[in-house]
Amino acid sequence: MSSMVVTANGNDSKKFKGEDKMDGAPSRVLHIRKLPGEVTETEVIALGLPFGKVTNILMLKGKNQAFLELATEEAAVTMVNYYSAVTPHLRNQPIYIQYSNHKELKTDNTLNQRAQAVLQAVTAVQTANTPLSGTAVSESAVTPAQSPVLRIIIDNMYYPVTLDVLHQIFTKFGAVLKIITFTKNNQFQALLQYGDPVNAQQAKLALDGQNIYNACCTLRIDFSKLVNLNVKYNNDKSRDYTRPDLPSGDGQPALDPAIAAAFAKETSLLAVPGALSPLAMPGVSAGGNTVLLVSNLNEEMVTPQSLFTLFGVYGDVQRVKILYNKKDSALIQMADGHQSQLAMNHLNGQKMYGKIIRVTLSKHQTVQLPREGLDDQGLTKDFGNSPLHRFKKPGSKNFQNIFPPSATLHLSNIPPSVAEEDLRTLFANTGGTVKAFKFFQRDHKMALLQMATVEEAIQALIDLHNYNLGENHHLRVSFSKSTI
């Protein structure tokens, strides 16, 4: 048994030069190459989950490679065979998987802590295999369902969700026969067919509104009008688990029936890895860094408070530091890696105080506060205990209402005494033009208000979120996906 001892500091990756060129003898350690630069441990582990338990991982960040160790050689063989028929992709890039010359991974645990924590999180979920909250529905509540086919829409998809992930989650409620995935109106959707409508009903009851990962990828589930799905190909977009012999389309060979059968067996035995419980444990920030570097700011105008308010739309800002000797740049520390990723995706390239801002992940792990008694002219501010954090409550509605900056704003917490005219005047005073306004029919506490441009809306949100409208009502402002 050759086992390798690896310190995960990257320098030792020299040992791997030229290794694993051949598809050698099977091993439960797999060598994965050509990974996209920013890929996380969680995403690599997810490749192995459908095939069995993942017992170790080592990322060689500099070389865009990783080693993944599965619990059994059998699982690794199934995985390699499966992915030789269906090219695996991460972040839309094809990657390559083969057996490693090594029979096991011994990693230096202190340096590989983050990977270990991610693994533990996944394993805890995999072995827990207890019914999900909400499945303890009394039988009488399960009315006969119309259809065995569910239509699934995934909201807030900041993390890739694959057909295999859906299969693992929904198998918990009965045998999944077929799945078709597609994108419609820029949203990832799927149709999933059970053998029995009762299973569909139970899955809908238990899973509708749940998050697949922490604070993202929310399942929205309805019964489909279809009662039977017609799947033509078995590939990463569609699959008929009852017909392993189907071709994969794209002129690729169909899955070998033996592999397909083994695959179907493997997957149906699975618990739900990562389902409805975060793959990212607290403290293991998904996607790594919590600190953002924001540059090209308008240094005359920007303040820690204005950055707190704007970035606070996408996460709970902990600290802000405007750089002392480069005042057009700032470091912003979010509560976790999901939030920093979200803020970066949504705010990079937007205009703030007339300048297009750049948002990237910083190499800093935290934002340092100035030493006691040191005056840094108010450039650093600690918002750790701010009452204005939008995402403190787990499962808060705010997680479902995260949208990119838009000209239309959603206003809430409006007191009864405040009229449309008052709000129009208030928003016009931020220096923009109010194009349209509409109170919600059911609820006068909420309204939509449209500014002339996205930049004007960003400005209005910075100026007026948490504005005191009297009667102890502080206005809440968010971006909206609706138009008036």
Side-chain angles (χ1 to χ4, degrees):
M1 281 265 292
S2 76
S3 78
M4 69 172 163
V5 176
V6 184
T7 51
N9 60 7
N11 298 342
D12 291 64
S13 58
K14 293 187 196 62
K15 287 185 188 163
F16 307 129
K17 283 241 170 66
E19 87 133 71
D20 298 341
K21 281 283 181 286
M22 298 295 296
D23 287 58
S27 157
R28 68 194 183 98
V29 179
L30 300 176
H31 181 199
I32 305 175
R33 293 175 298 130
K34 298 260 170 78
L35 290 169
E38 57 294 310
V39 92
T40 62
E41 278 95 347
T42 313
E43 289 166 87
V44 176
I45 291 170
L47 289 169
L49 284 177
F51 305 93
K53 189 171 170 210
V54 175
T55 47
N56 209 343
I57 180 170
L58 173 70
M59 303 280 278
L60 307 175
K61 289 277 201 240
K63 303 188 70 150
N64 297 63
Q65 299 183 9
F67 288 84
L68 193 68
E69 179 191 87
L70 282 93
T72 64
E73 191 167 295
E74 193 178 276
V77 172
T78 311
M79 177 167 164
V80 168
N81 289 344
Y82 175 68
Y83 284 132
S84 59
V86 178
T87 309
H89 284 71
L90 277 181
R91 306 206 175 196
N92 299 324
Q93 268 175 252
I95 56 169
Y96 300 89
I97 300 180
Q98 61 208 48
Y99 300 119
S100 164
N101 298 338
H102 305 291
K103 293 295 180 204
E104 64 174 320
L105 279 183
K106 284 204 168 75
T107 47
D108 171 337
N109 280 350
T110 48
L111 288 163
N112 207 24
Q113 255 167 346
R114 196 167 123 225
Q116 293 303 322
V118 174
L119 266 174
Q120 272 165 355
V122 175
T123 321
V125 175
Q126 239 179 344
T127 48
N129 201 3
T130 46
L132 300 159
S133 59
T135 48
V137 179
S138 70
E139 285 304 315
S140 60
V142 182
T143 49
Q146 307 81 323
S147 158
V149 179
L150 295 174
R151 189 188 59 158
I152 301 157
I153 295 179
I154 298 190
D155 278 346
N156 306 329
M157 190 154 143
Y158 317 126
Y159 232 65
V161 172
T162 60
L163 183 141
D164 292 321
V165 168
L166 290 175
H167 184 261
Q168 290 155 21
I169 294 171
F170 283 83
T171 299
K172 204 160 186 61
F173 300 92
V176 173
L177 307 187
K178 304 169 189 177
I179 304 179
I180 299 174
T181 64
F182 52 96
T183 303
K184 186 173 166 187
N185 308 335
N186 284 332
Q187 245 182 341
F188 179 85
Q189 304 198 10
L191 292 166
L192 180 145
Q193 181 175 343
Y194 280 108
D196 186 329
V198 171
N199 301 128
Q201 175 83 354
Q202 287 170 329
K204 179 179 182 308
L205 279 170
L207 298 175
D208 189 26
Q210 296 267 17
N211 293 334
I212 298 179
Y213 301 120
N214 221 358
C216 84
C217 307
T218 312
L219 293 163
R220 306 257 166 257
I221 305 173
D222 280 308
F223 291 109
S224 168
K225 305 227 179 359
L226 301 168
V227 288
N228 188 29
L229 298 178
N230 180 16
V231 176
K232 295 192 178 63
Y233 302 112
N234 281 341
N235 54 31
D236 55 355
K237 300 276 185 293
S238 63
R239 211 164 292 163
D240 184 336
Y241 295 92
T242 62
R243 300 201 44 206
D245 53 314
L246 285 177
S248 63
D250 308 340
Q252 296 177 326
L255 274 183
D256 173 303
I259 297 165
F263 184 66
K265 184 166 127 284
E266 278 283 348
T267 26
S268 62
L269 296 174
L270 266 182
V272 187
L276 314 177
S277 96
L279 266 178
M281 291 291 263
V284 181
S285 58
N289 219 334
T290 58
V291 180
L292 296 167
L293 172 65
V294 187
S295 53
N296 201 38
L297 292 163
N298 179 335
E299 53 186 276
E300 304 300 309
M301 303 291 290
V302 76
T303 61
Q305 184 63 48
S306 60
L307 290 167
F308 168 77
T309 304
L310 180 56
F311 281 74
V313 173
Y314 300 106
D316 292 340
V317 175
Q318 304 298 306
R319 293 175 179 179
V320 178
K321 179 191 283 287
I322 293 172
L323 302 185
Y324 186 77
N325 35 14
K326 197 172 177 340
K327 293 198 174 62
D328 70 346
S329 301
L331 293 172
I332 300 181
Q333 183 177 335
M334 307 298 284
D336 65 42
H338 270 308
Q339 296 181 0
S340 51
Q341 196 74 42
L342 261 181
M344 177 170 79
N345 294 350
H346 286 312
L347 294 174
N348 181 38
Q350 295 289 351
K351 265 186 161 176
M352 179 181 184
Y353 296 121
K355 296 188 72 172
I356 292 176
I357 63 171
R358 290 276 153 248
V359 185
T360 56
L361 291 174
S362 158
K363 54 183 187 303
H364 294 280
Q365 294 302 307
T366 58
V367 170
Q368 295 296 320
L369 294 174
R371 286 197 300 282
E372 278 301 320
L374 196 72
D375 174 28
D376 77 341
Q377 305 169 0
L379 293 175
T380 309
K381 210 158 156 30
D382 185 356
F383 294 99
N385 296 323
S386 168
L388 299 182
H389 286 155
R390 295 178 188 239
F391 304 101
K392 270 209 294 281
K393 288 214 254 338
S396 147
K397 275 270 194 301
N398 294 338
F399 283 119
Q400 291 156 35
N401 294 316
I402 295 177
F403 301 111
S406 54
T408 307
L409 296 168
H410 178 277
L411 317 182
S412 59
N413 206 24
I414 303 165
S417 60
V418 171
E420 170 173 344
E421 214 31 62
D422 304 321
L423 290 165
R424 280 179 173 268
T425 308
L426 187 63
F427 277 77
N429 284 340
T430 61
T433 311
V434 177
K435 292 291 239 193
F437 180 94
K438 185 170 106 201
F439 273 116
F440 276 58
Q441 226 123 38
R442 307 179 303 284
D443 187 355
H444 257 231
K445 292 203 279 295
M446 297 199 286
L448 293 176
L449 180 143
Q450 189 180 338
M451 302 299 287
T453 62
V454 175
E455 185 186 356
E456 287 181 9
I458 288 176
Q459 188 58 55
L461 181 140
I462 290 171
D463 291 349
L464 294 174
H465 177 62
N466 201 44
Y467 181 87
N468 188 351
L469 290 171
E471 302 168 47
N472 206 10
H473 280 67
H474 288 260
L475 182 65
R476 296 184 60 84
V477 185
S478 312
F479 298 114
S480 169
K481 65 164 191 259
S482 314
T483 47
I484 307 175

